[in-house]
Amino acid sequence: MQLFAVEKQPRRGLTPVDWAVLIYVVLTLLLMLFLWDRLLNPMQMLWFRFQAVALVVAMWAVYKWLPCPFTLLVRLSSQLSLLGLWYPDTYEFNRLFLNLDHLFAQAEQSFFGFQPALTFSVEWSHPVFSELMALGYVSYYPLIALVFVYYFIWCNDELNRAAFTIIASFFLFYIIFIFLPVAGPQYYYPAAGIDNIASGVFPAMGNYFETHQESLPIPGWGEGLFHQLVVDAHDAGERPTAAFPSSHVGVTVVLLWLAWRAGSLRLLWLMMPFAVLMFFATFYIQAHYAIDAIAGIAAGTLIYFICQGLYRFVKW
């Protein structure tokens, strides 16, 4: 592939990724207008949306000026790079709704008879196991980049579909998180009281997380490289939001489906160990309840096929 070879018939208009971004911006803007007086940082949220739309326009102009594989790559990847910044934005919405963690912790207790997120890292605390769990968790964005690059190099005619599937999957998860305020064990356990959790008592927290973001320390081997990466990622952007279903598991499942669609068993099997580690890591580090991870598998599969259906309406 010649990265800077100018396309003879450059494609016009918005890419599927552009459409996904603009639709999400419009939907959340409407929600912002409805909740404006209750939002803590509405102008900051509005400014971020303006920047996202400006980036769509700027990348469209760059591609129009030089329509080639490289500028298309930049156009698509620029929006994918913002996904981590959209994540804490969900907290600005769901902090306004009554927290539901007590229901999910009770469901966890009913299903397992105990709280896996409370005991897993205690029972399996060996440094090697701890680092494997942390490795699984931090492999999230590298796996996304791996699939995206694979499509760019070996399945370029399907690159727009793959990029759209990835970004639309994130946005669909984010919409769920906005209206389903579940903070996860790392926030709910200390707020409810560890003694209560251990005794099977799960108090409702109401609007507690509207003003509180205190969390448990990340469990695991503190001196481990991957453990520190998890801690750094948590400190950089984690909020009491987005616990159910696990988007880490769900998006990883979407990536596995994309690997299958690409027809690459080698890519699929390369990713599979990290996907398994990801599943268990989500509740090992107490970011999720175990039922969140289980639901993430089902949600990821459902969202993958929803995205394939939506792609027909935005196909470039």
Side-chain angles (χ1 to χ4, degrees), residues 127-212:
V128 173
F129 192 84
S130 169
E131 279 293 271
L132 282 173
M133 292 293 99
L135 169 61
Y137 201 75
V138 300
S139 68
Y140 187 48
Y141 287 110
L143 286 177
I144 295 171
L146 174 63
V147 171
F148 181 70
V149 170
Y150 184 92
Y151 267 82
F152 178 70
I153 296 175
W154 285 286
C155 302
N156 193 260
D157 58 330
E158 289 274 280
L159 178 64
N160 278 288
R161 178 189 291 270
F164 170 79
T165 300
I166 293 170
I167 201 166
S169 296
F170 269 91
F171 286 148
L172 288 171
F173 273 111
Y174 289 167
I175 289 171
I176 295 172
F177 298 151
I178 286 173
F179 295 103
L180 193 64
V182 185
Q186 62 185 328
Y187 293 101
Y188 177 67
Y189 286 176
I194 296 296
D195 291 341
N196 281 333
I197 300 300
S199 302
V201 177
F202 309 107
M205 302 309 299
N207 292 110
Y208 178 84
F209 295 111
E210 183 176 358
T211 55
H212 292 79

Coordinates of all heavy atoms in Angstrom, one line a residue, residues 127-212:
P127 N 2.2 -12.3 43.3 CA 2.6 -11.3 42.3 C 2.5 -11.6 40.8 O 2.1 -10.8 40.0 CB 4.1 -11.0 42.7 CG 4.2 -11.4 44.1 CD 3.2 -12.5 44.3
V128 N 2.8 -12.9 40.5 CA 2.7 -13.3 39.1 C 1.2 -13.3 38.6 O 0.9 -12.7 37.6 CB 3.3 -14.7 38.9 CG1 3.0 -15.2 37.5 CG2 4.8 -14.7 39.2
F129 N 0.3 -13.8 39.5 CA -1.1 -13.8 39.1 C -1.6 -12.3 39.1 O -2.4 -11.9 38.2 CB -1.9 -14.6 40.1 CG -3.3 -14.9 39.7 CD1 -3.6 -15.9 38.9 CD2 -4.4 -14.0 40.1 CE1 -4.9 -16.2 38.5 CE2 -5.7 -14.3 39.7 CZ -5.9 -15.4 38.9
S130 N -1.2 -11.5 40.0 CA -1.6 -10.1 40.1 C -1.2 -9.4 38.8 O -2.0 -8.6 38.2 CB -1.0 -9.4 41.3 OG -1.1 -8.0 41.2
E131 N 0.0 -9.6 38.3 CA 0.5 -9.0 37.1 C -0.2 -9.5 35.9 O -0.4 -8.7 34.9 CB 2.0 -9.2 37.0 CG 2.9 -8.2 37.8 CD 2.8 -6.8 37.4 OE1 3.5 -6.4 36.5 OE2 1.9 -6.1 37.9
L132 N -0.6 -10.7 35.9 CA -1.3 -11.3 34.7 C -2.7 -10.6 34.6 O -3.1 -10.2 33.5 CB -1.5 -12.8 34.9 CG -0.3 -13.6 34.5 CD1 -0.6 -15.1 34.8 CD2 0.0 -13.5 33.0
M133 N -3.3 -10.4 35.8 CA -4.6 -9.7 35.8 C -4.4 -8.3 35.3 O -5.2 -7.7 34.5 CB -5.2 -9.7 37.2 CG -5.6 -11.1 37.7 SD -7.1 -11.8 36.8 CE -6.2 -12.9 35.7
A134 N -3.4 -7.6 35.8 CA -3.2 -6.2 35.4 C -2.8 -6.1 33.9 O -3.3 -5.2 33.2 CB -2.1 -5.6 36.3
L135 N -2.1 -7.1 33.4 CA -1.7 -7.1 32.0 C -3.0 -7.2 31.2 O -3.2 -6.6 30.2 CB -0.8 -8.3 31.7 CG -0.6 -8.7 30.2 CD1 0.1 -7.5 29.5 CD2 0.3 -9.9 30.1
G136 N -3.9 -8.1 31.6 CA -5.2 -8.3 30.9 C -5.9 -7.0 30.8 O -6.5 -6.6 29.8
Y137 N -6.0 -6.3 31.9 CA -6.7 -5.0 32.0 C -6.1 -3.9 31.1 O -6.9 -3.2 30.4 CB -6.9 -4.5 33.4 CG -8.0 -3.6 33.6 CD1 -9.3 -4.1 33.7 CD2 -7.8 -2.2 33.8 CE1 -10.4 -3.2 33.9 CE2 -8.9 -1.4 34.0 CZ -10.2 -1.9 34.0 OH -11.3 -1.0 34.2
V138 N -4.8 -3.8 31.1 CA -4.2 -2.7 30.4 C -4.0 -3.0 28.9 O -3.6 -2.2 28.1 CB -2.8 -2.3 31.0 CG1 -2.9 -1.9 32.4 CG2 -1.8 -3.5 30.9
S139 N -4.4 -4.3 28.5 CA -4.3 -4.6 27.1 C -5.5 -4.1 26.3 O -5.5 -4.2 25.1 CB -4.2 -6.2 26.9 OG -5.5 -6.8 27.3
Y140 N -6.4 -3.4 27.0 CA -7.6 -2.9 26.3 C -7.4 -2.1 25.1 O -7.7 -2.4 24.0 CB -8.4 -2.2 27.4 CG -9.8 -1.7 27.0 CD1 -10.7 -2.6 26.5 CD2 -10.2 -0.4 27.3 CE1 -12.0 -2.2 26.2 CE2 -11.5 0.0 27.0 CZ -12.4 -0.9 26.5 OH -13.6 -0.4 26.2
Y141 N -6.7 -1.0 25.3 CA -6.5 -0.1 24.2 C -5.5 -0.6 23.2 O -5.6 -0.4 21.9 CB -6.0 1.3 24.7 CG -7.2 2.1 25.3 CD1 -7.3 2.3 26.6 CD2 -8.2 2.6 24.4 CE1 -8.4 3.0 27.2 CE2 -9.3 3.2 25.0 CZ -9.4 3.5 26.3 OH -10.4 4.1 26.9
P142 N -4.4 -1.3 23.6 CA -3.5 -2.0 22.6 C -4.3 -3.0 21.7 O -4.0 -3.1 20.5 CB -2.5 -2.7 23.5 CG -2.4 -1.9 24.7 CD -3.8 -1.4 24.9
L143 N -5.3 -3.7 22.2 CA -6.1 -4.6 21.4 C -6.9 -3.8 20.4 O -7.0 -4.3 19.2 CB -7.0 -5.5 22.3 CG -6.3 -6.6 23.1 CD1 -7.4 -7.3 24.0 CD2 -5.6 -7.6 22.2
I144 N -7.4 -2.7 20.8 CA -8.2 -1.9 19.8 C -7.3 -1.4 18.7 O -7.6 -1.5 17.5 CB -8.8 -0.7 20.6 CG1 -9.9 -1.1 21.6 CG2 -9.4 0.3 19.6 CD1 -10.4 0.0 22.5
A145 N -6.1 -0.9 19.1 CA -5.1 -0.5 18.1 C -4.7 -1.6 17.2 O -4.5 -1.4 16.0 CB -3.9 0.1 18.8
L146 N -4.5 -2.8 17.7 CA -4.1 -4.0 17.0 C -5.1 -4.3 15.9 O -4.8 -4.5 14.7 CB -3.9 -5.2 17.9 CG -3.6 -6.5 17.2 CD1 -2.3 -6.5 16.4 CD2 -3.6 -7.6 18.2
V147 N -6.4 -4.3 16.3 CA -7.4 -4.7 15.3 C -7.5 -3.6 14.2 O -7.7 -3.9 13.0 CB -8.8 -4.9 16.0 CG1 -9.9 -5.0 15.0 CG2 -8.7 -6.1 16.9
F148 N -7.5 -2.3 14.6 CA -7.6 -1.2 13.7 C -6.4 -1.3 12.7 O -6.7 -1.1 11.5 CB -7.6 0.1 14.5 CG -7.7 1.3 13.6 CD1 -8.9 1.6 13.0 CD2 -6.6 2.2 13.4 CE1 -9.0 2.7 12.2 CE2 -6.7 3.3 12.6 CZ -7.9 3.6 12.0
V149 N -5.2 -1.5 13.2 CA -4.0 -1.5 12.3 C -4.1 -2.7 11.4 O -3.8 -2.7 10.2 CB -2.7 -1.5 13.1 CG1 -1.5 -1.8 12.2 CG2 -2.6 -0.2 13.8
Y150 N -4.6 -3.9 11.9 CA -4.7 -5.1 11.1 C -5.7 -4.8 9.9 O -5.4 -5.1 8.8 CB -5.3 -6.2 11.9 CG -5.4 -7.5 11.1 CD1 -4.3 -8.4 11.1 CD2 -6.5 -7.9 10.4 CE1 -4.3 -9.6 10.4 CE2 -6.5 -9.0 9.6 CZ -5.5 -9.9 9.6 OH -5.5 -11.0 8.9
Y151 N -6.8 -4.2 10.2 CA -7.7 -3.9 9.1 C -7.1 -2.9 8.1 O -7.3 -3.0 6.9 CB -9.0 -3.3 9.7 CG -10.1 -4.3 9.9 CD1 -10.1 -5.1 11.1 CD2 -11.1 -4.6 9.0 CE1 -11.0 -6.1 11.3 CE2 -12.1 -5.6 9.2 CZ -12.0 -6.3 10.3 OH -13.0 -7.3 10.5
F152 N -6.4 -1.9 8.6 CA -5.8 -0.9 7.7 C -4.8 -1.6 6.8 O -4.7 -1.2 5.6 CB -5.0 0.1 8.6 CG -4.3 1.2 7.7 CD1 -5.0 2.1 7.0 CD2 -2.9 1.2 7.7 CE1 -4.4 3.1 6.2 CE2 -2.3 2.1 6.9 CZ -3.0 3.1 6.2
I153 N -4.0 -2.5 7.2 CA -3.0 -3.2 6.4 C -3.5 -4.3 5.6 O -3.2 -4.4 4.4 CB -1.8 -3.7 7.3 CG1 -1.1 -2.5 8.0 CG2 -0.8 -4.4 6.5 CD1 -0.1 -2.9 9.0
W154 N -4.3 -5.2 6.2 CA -4.7 -6.4 5.5 C -6.2 -6.4 5.0 O -6.5 -7.3 4.2 CB -4.4 -7.6 6.4 CG -3.0 -8.0 6.4 CD1 -2.2 -8.5 5.4 CD2 -2.1 -7.7 7.5 NE1 -0.9 -8.7 5.8 CE2 -0.8 -8.2 7.1 CE3 -2.2 -7.1 8.8 CZ2 0.3 -8.1 7.9 CZ3 -1.1 -7.0 9.6 CH2 0.2 -7.5 9.2
C155 N -7.0 -5.6 5.6 CA -8.4 -5.6 5.2 C -8.9 -4.2 4.9 O -9.9 -3.7 5.5 CB -9.3 -6.2 6.2 SG -8.9 -7.9 6.6
N156 N -8.1 -3.4 4.1 CA -8.3 -2.0 4.0 C -9.7 -1.6 3.5 O -10.3 -0.6 3.8 CB -7.3 -1.4 3.1 CG -7.3 0.1 3.2 OD1 -7.8 0.8 2.3 ND2 -6.7 0.7 4.3
D157 N -10.3 -2.5 2.6 CA -11.6 -2.2 2.1 C -12.7 -2.3 3.1 O -13.8 -1.8 2.9 CB -11.9 -3.2 0.9 CG -11.8 -4.7 1.4 OD1 -11.0 -5.0 2.3 OD2 -12.5 -5.5 0.8
E158 N -12.4 -2.9 4.3 CA -13.3 -3.0 5.4 C -12.9 -2.1 6.6 O -13.5 -2.2 7.6 CB -13.3 -4.5 5.9 CG -14.0 -5.5 5.0 CD -15.5 -5.5 5.2 OE1 -16.0 -6.2 6.2 OE2 -16.2 -4.8 4.4
L159 N -11.9 -1.2 6.4 CA -11.5 -0.4 7.5 C -12.5 0.5 8.0 O -12.7 0.7 9.2 CB -10.3 0.5 7.0 CG -9.7 1.4 8.0 CD1 -9.1 0.7 9.2 CD2 -8.6 2.3 7.4
N160 N -13.3 1.1 7.1 CA -14.4 2.0 7.6 C -15.4 1.3 8.5 O -15.9 1.8 9.5 CB -15.1 2.7 6.4 CG -14.3 3.9 5.9 OD1 -14.2 4.9 6.6 ND2 -13.7 3.8 4.8
R161 N -15.8 0.1 8.0 CA -16.7 -0.7 8.8 C -16.1 -1.1 10.2 O -16.8 -0.9 11.2 CB -17.0 -2.0 8.1 CG -18.0 -2.9 8.9 CD -18.1 -4.3 8.2 NE -18.8 -4.2 7.0 CZ -20.2 -4.4 6.8 NH1 -20.9 -4.6 7.9 NH2 -20.7 -4.3 5.6
A162 N -14.9 -1.5 10.2 CA -14.2 -1.8 11.5 C -14.1 -0.6 12.4 O -14.5 -0.7 13.6 CB -12.8 -2.4 11.3
A163 N -13.7 0.5 11.9 CA -13.6 1.7 12.7 C -14.9 2.2 13.2 O -15.1 2.6 14.4 CB -12.9 2.9 11.9
F164 N -16.0 2.1 12.4 CA -17.3 2.5 12.8 C -17.8 1.5 13.9 O -18.4 2.0 14.9 CB -18.3 2.4 11.6 CG -19.7 2.6 12.0 CD1 -20.3 3.8 12.3 CD2 -20.5 1.5 12.1 CE1 -21.6 3.9 12.7 CE2 -21.9 1.6 12.5 CZ -22.4 2.8 12.8
T165 N -17.6 0.2 13.7 CA -18.0 -0.8 14.7 C -17.4 -0.5 16.1 O -18.1 -0.6 17.1 CB -17.7 -2.2 14.2 OG1 -18.3 -2.4 13.0 CG2 -18.1 -3.2 15.3
I166 N -16.1 -0.1 16.1 CA -15.4 0.1 17.3 C -16.0 1.4 18.0 O -16.4 1.3 19.2 CB -13.9 0.3 17.1 CG1 -13.3 -1.0 16.7 CG2 -13.2 0.8 18.4 CD1 -11.8 -0.9 16.2
I167 N -16.1 2.5 17.3 CA -16.5 3.7 17.9 C -18.0 3.7 18.2 O -18.4 4.2 19.3 CB -16.1 4.9 17.0 CG1 -16.1 6.2 17.9 CG2 -17.1 5.1 15.9 CD1 -15.4 7.4 17.2
A168 N -18.8 3.1 17.4 CA -20.2 3.0 17.7 C -20.5 2.1 18.9 O -21.4 2.4 19.7 CB -21.0 2.5 16.5
S169 N -19.7 1.1 19.0 CA -19.8 0.2 20.2 C -19.6 1.0 21.5 O -20.3 0.9 22.5 CB -18.8 -1.0 20.1 OG -19.1 -1.8 19.0
F170 N -18.5 1.8 21.5 CA -18.2 2.6 22.7 C -19.4 3.5 23.0 O -19.8 3.6 24.1 CB -17.0 3.4 22.4 CG -15.7 2.8 22.9 CD1 -15.0 2.0 22.0 CD2 -15.2 3.0 24.2 CE1 -13.8 1.4 22.4 CE2 -14.0 2.4 24.6 CZ -13.3 1.6 23.7
F171 N -19.9 4.2 22.0 CA -21.0 5.2 22.2 C -22.3 4.5 22.7 O -23.0 5.0 23.5 CB -21.3 5.9 20.9 CG -20.2 7.0 20.6 CD1 -19.9 7.3 19.3 CD2 -19.5 7.6 21.6 CE1 -18.9 8.3 19.0 CE2 -18.5 8.5 21.4 CZ -18.2 8.9 20.0
L172 N -22.5 3.3 22.2 CA -23.7 2.5 22.7 C -23.5 2.1 24.1 O -24.5 2.2 24.9 CB -24.0 1.3 21.8 CG -24.5 1.6 20.4 CD1 -24.5 0.3 19.5 CD2 -25.9 2.2 20.5
F173 N -22.3 1.7 24.5 CA -22.1 1.5 25.9 C -22.2 2.7 26.7 O -22.8 2.7 27.8 CB -20.7 0.9 26.1 CG -20.6 -0.6 25.9 CD1 -20.0 -1.2 24.9 CD2 -21.2 -1.5 26.9 CE1 -19.9 -2.6 24.7 CE2 -21.1 -2.8 26.8 CZ -20.5 -3.4 25.7
Y174 N -21.7 3.8 26.2 CA -21.8 5.1 27.0 C -23.2 5.5 27.2 O -23.6 6.1 28.3 CB -21.0 6.2 26.2 CG -19.5 6.0 26.2 CD1 -18.7 6.8 25.4 CD2 -18.9 5.1 27.1 CE1 -17.3 6.6 25.4 CE2 -17.5 4.9 27.1 CZ -16.7 5.7 26.3 OH -15.4 5.6 26.3
I175 N -24.1 5.3 26.2 CA -25.5 5.6 26.4 C -26.1 4.8 27.5 O -26.9 5.3 28.3 CB -26.2 5.4 25.1 CG1 -25.8 6.5 24.1 CG2 -27.8 5.5 25.3 CD1 -26.3 6.3 22.7
I176 N -25.7 3.5 27.6 CA -26.2 2.7 28.7 C -25.7 3.2 30.0 O -26.5 3.3 31.0 CB -25.7 1.2 28.5 CG1 -26.3 0.6 27.2 CG2 -26.0 0.4 29.7 CD1 -25.8 -0.8 26.9
F177 N -24.5 3.6 30.0 CA -23.9 4.1 31.3 C -24.5 5.4 31.8 O -24.6 5.6 33.0 CB -22.4 4.2 31.2 CG -21.6 3.0 30.8 CD1 -20.4 3.0 30.1 CD2 -22.1 1.7 31.2 CE1 -19.8 1.9 29.8 CE2 -21.4 0.6 30.9 CZ -20.2 0.6 30.2
I178 N -24.9 6.2 30.9 CA -25.6 7.5 31.2 C -26.8 7.2 32.0 O -27.1 7.9 33.0 CB -25.8 8.3 30.0 CG1 -24.5 8.9 29.4 CG2 -26.9 9.4 30.3 CD1 -24.7 9.6 28.1
F179 N -27.6 6.2 31.6 CA -28.9 6.0 32.2 C -29.0 4.9 33.2 O -30.0 4.6 33.8 CB -30.0 5.7 31.1 CG -30.2 6.9 30.2 CD1 -29.6 7.0 28.9 CD2 -30.9 8.0 30.6 CE1 -29.8 8.1 28.1 CE2 -31.1 9.1 29.8 CZ -30.6 9.2 28.5
L180 N -27.8 4.2 33.4 CA -27.7 3.1 34.3 C -26.6 3.4 35.3 O -25.5 2.9 35.1 CB -27.5 1.8 33.6 CG -27.7 0.5 34.4 CD1 -29.2 0.3 34.8 CD2 -27.3 -0.7 33.6
P181 N -26.9 4.2 36.3 CA -25.8 4.6 37.2 C -25.3 3.6 38.2 O -25.9 3.4 39.3 CB -26.5 5.8 38.0 CG -27.9 5.5 38.0 CD -28.2 4.7 36.7
V182 N -24.4 2.8 37.8 CA -23.7 1.8 38.6 C -22.3 2.1 38.7 O -21.6 2.1 37.7 CB -23.9 0.4 38.1 CG1 -23.4 -0.7 39.0 CG2 -25.4 0.1 37.8
A183 N -21.8 2.4 39.9 CA -20.4 2.8 40.1 C -19.4 1.7 40.2 O -18.2 1.9 39.8 CB -20.3 3.6 41.4
G184 N -19.8 0.5 40.6 CA -18.8 -0.6 40.7 C -18.3 -0.8 42.1 O -18.3 0.2 42.9
P185 N -17.7 -1.9 42.4 CA -17.2 -2.3 43.8 C -16.2 -1.3 44.3 O -16.3 -1.0 45.5 CB -16.6 -3.7 43.6 CG -17.3 -4.2 42.4 CD -17.6 -3.1 41.5
Q186 N -15.3 -0.8 43.5 CA -14.2 0.0 44.0 C -14.8 1.3 44.6 O -14.1 1.9 45.5 CB -13.2 0.4 42.9 CG -13.8 1.1 41.7 CD -12.8 1.3 40.6 OE1 -11.6 1.4 40.9 NE2 -13.2 1.3 39.4
Y187 N -15.9 1.8 44.2 CA -16.6 3.0 44.8 C -17.7 2.6 45.7 O -17.8 3.2 46.8 CB -17.2 3.8 43.6 CG -16.1 4.4 42.8 CD1 -15.8 3.9 41.5 CD2 -15.4 5.6 43.2 CE1 -14.8 4.5 40.7 CE2 -14.4 6.1 42.4 CZ -14.1 5.6 41.1 OH -13.2 6.1 40.3
Y188 N -18.5 1.6 45.4 CA -19.6 1.2 46.3 C -19.2 0.6 47.6 O -19.7 0.9 48.6 CB -20.6 0.3 45.5 CG -21.7 -0.2 46.3 CD1 -22.7 0.8 46.8 CD2 -21.9 -1.5 46.7 CE1 -23.8 0.4 47.5 CE2 -22.9 -1.9 47.5 CZ -23.9 -1.0 47.9 OH -25.0 -1.4 48.7
Y189 N -18.2 -0.3 47.6 CA -17.8 -1.0 48.8 C -17.4 0.0 49.9 O -17.9 -0.1 51.0 CB -16.7 -2.0 48.5 CG -17.1 -3.2 47.8 CD1 -16.2 -4.2 47.4 CD2 -18.4 -3.5 47.5 CE1 -16.5 -5.3 46.7 CE2 -18.8 -4.7 46.8 CZ -17.8 -5.6 46.4 OH -18.2 -6.7 45.8
P190 N -16.5 0.9 49.6 CA -16.1 1.8 50.7 C -17.3 2.8 51.2 O -17.4 3.2 52.3 CB -14.9 2.6 50.2 CG -15.1 2.5 48.7 CD -15.7 1.2 48.4
A191 N -18.1 3.1 50.2 CA -19.2 4.0 50.5 C -20.3 3.3 51.4 O -20.8 3.8 52.3 CB -19.9 4.5 49.2
A192 N -20.5 2.0 51.1 CA -21.5 1.2 51.8 C -20.9 0.7 53.1 O -21.7 0.3 54.1 CB -22.0 0.1 51.0
G193 N -19.6 0.5 53.2 CA -18.9 0.0 54.3 C -18.5 -1.5 54.1 O -19.4 -2.3 53.8
I194 N -17.2 -1.8 54.1 CA -16.7 -3.1 53.9 C -17.4 -4.2 54.8 O -17.7 -5.3 54.4 CB -15.2 -3.2 54.0 CG1 -14.5 -2.3 52.9 CG2 -14.7 -4.6 53.8 CD1 -14.8 -2.7 51.5
D195 N -17.6 -3.8 56.1 CA -18.2 -4.7 57.0 C -19.6 -5.1 56.5 O -20.1 -6.2 56.6 CB -18.3 -4.1 58.4 CG -16.9 -4.0 59.0 OD1 -16.0 -4.7 58.5 OD2 -16.7 -3.2 60.0
N196 N -20.4 -4.1 56.0 CA -21.7 -4.4 55.5 C -21.7 -5.3 54.3 O -22.4 -6.3 54.2 CB -22.4 -3.1 55.1 CG -23.0 -2.3 56.2 OD1 -23.3 -2.8 57.3 ND2 -23.0 -1.0 56.1
I197 N -20.7 -5.0 53.4 CA -20.6 -5.9 52.2 C -20.3 -7.3 52.6 O -20.9 -8.3 52.1 CB -19.5 -5.3 51.3 CG1 -19.9 -3.9 50.8 CG2 -19.3 -6.2 50.0 CD1 -21.2 -3.7 50.1
A198 N -19.3 -7.5 53.5 CA -18.9 -8.8 53.9 C -20.0 -9.6 54.6 O -20.1 -10.8 54.6 CB -17.7 -8.7 54.8
S199 N -21.0 -8.8 55.2 CA -22.1 -9.4 55.9 C -23.3 -9.6 55.0 O -24.3 -10.1 55.5 CB -22.5 -8.5 57.1 OG -21.4 -8.4 58.0
G200 N -23.2 -9.2 53.8 CA -24.3 -9.3 52.8 C -25.3 -8.3 53.0 O -26.5 -8.5 52.7
V201 N -24.9 -7.1 53.5 CA -25.8 -6.0 53.6 C -25.5 -4.9 52.6 O -24.3 -4.5 52.6 CB -25.8 -5.4 55.0 CG1 -26.7 -4.1 55.2 CG2 -26.1 -6.4 56.1
F202 N -26.4 -4.5 51.8 CA -26.1 -3.6 50.6 C -27.1 -2.4 50.7 O -28.1 -2.4 50.1 CB -26.3 -4.4 49.3 CG -25.5 -5.7 49.3 CD1 -26.2 -6.9 49.4 CD2 -24.1 -5.7 49.3 CE1 -25.5 -8.1 49.4 CE2 -23.4 -6.9 49.3 CZ -24.1 -8.1 49.3
P203 N -26.6 -1.4 51.4 CA -27.5 -0.2 51.5 C -27.6 0.6 50.2 O -26.6 0.7 49.4 CB -26.8 0.6 52.6 CG -25.4 0.2 52.6 CD -25.4 -1.3 52.2
A204 N -28.7 1.2 50.0 CA -28.9 2.1 48.8 C -28.1 3.4 49.1 O -28.2 3.9 50.2 CB -30.3 2.4 48.6
M205 N -27.4 4.0 48.1 CA -26.6 5.1 48.3 C -27.3 6.4 47.8 O -26.7 7.5 48.0 CB -25.3 4.9 47.6 CG -24.5 3.7 48.1 SD -24.3 3.6 49.9 CE -23.4 5.2 50.2
G206 N -28.4 6.3 47.1 CA -29.1 7.5 46.6 C -28.2 8.3 45.7 O -27.7 7.8 44.7
N207 N -28.1 9.6 46.0 CA -27.3 10.5 45.2 C -25.9 10.7 45.8 O -25.2 11.7 45.5 CB -28.0 11.9 45.2 CG -29.2 11.8 44.4 OD1 -30.3 12.0 44.9 ND2 -29.1 11.6 43.1
Y208 N -25.4 9.7 46.6 CA -24.1 9.8 47.2 C -23.0 10.1 46.2 O -22.1 11.0 46.5 CB -23.8 8.6 48.0 CG -22.4 8.5 48.7 CD1 -22.3 9.1 49.9 CD2 -21.3 7.9 48.0 CE1 -21.0 9.0 50.6 CE2 -20.1 7.9 48.7 CZ -20.0 8.5 49.9 OH -18.7 8.4 50.5
F209 N -23.0 9.5 45.1 CA -21.9 9.6 44.1 C -22.0 10.9 43.3 O -21.1 11.1 42.5 CB -21.8 8.4 43.2 CG -21.5 7.1 44.0 CD1 -22.4 6.1 44.2 CD2 -20.2 7.0 44.6 CE1 -22.1 5.0 44.9 CE2 -19.9 5.8 45.3 CZ -20.8 4.8 45.4
E210 N -23.0 11.7 43.5 CA -23.0 13.0 42.9 C -21.9 13.9 43.4 O -21.4 14.7 42.6 CB -24.4 13.6 43.1 CG -24.5 14.9 42.4 CD -25.9 15.6 42.5 OE1 -26.8 14.9 43.2 OE2 -26.1 16.7 42.0
T211 N -21.5 13.6 44.6 CA -20.5 14.5 45.2 C -19.3 13.7 45.8 O -18.4 14.4 46.4 CB -21.1 15.4 46.3 OG1 -21.8 14.5 47.3 CG2 -22.1 16.3 45.7
H212 N -19.3 12.4 45.7 CA -18.2 11.6 46.2 C -17.6 10.7 45.2 O -18.3 10.1 44.4 CB -18.7 10.7 47.4 CG -19.1 11.5 48.6 ND1 -20.3 12.2 48.7 CD2 -18.5 11.8 49.8 CE1 -20.4 12.8 49.8 NE2 -19.3 12.5 50.5

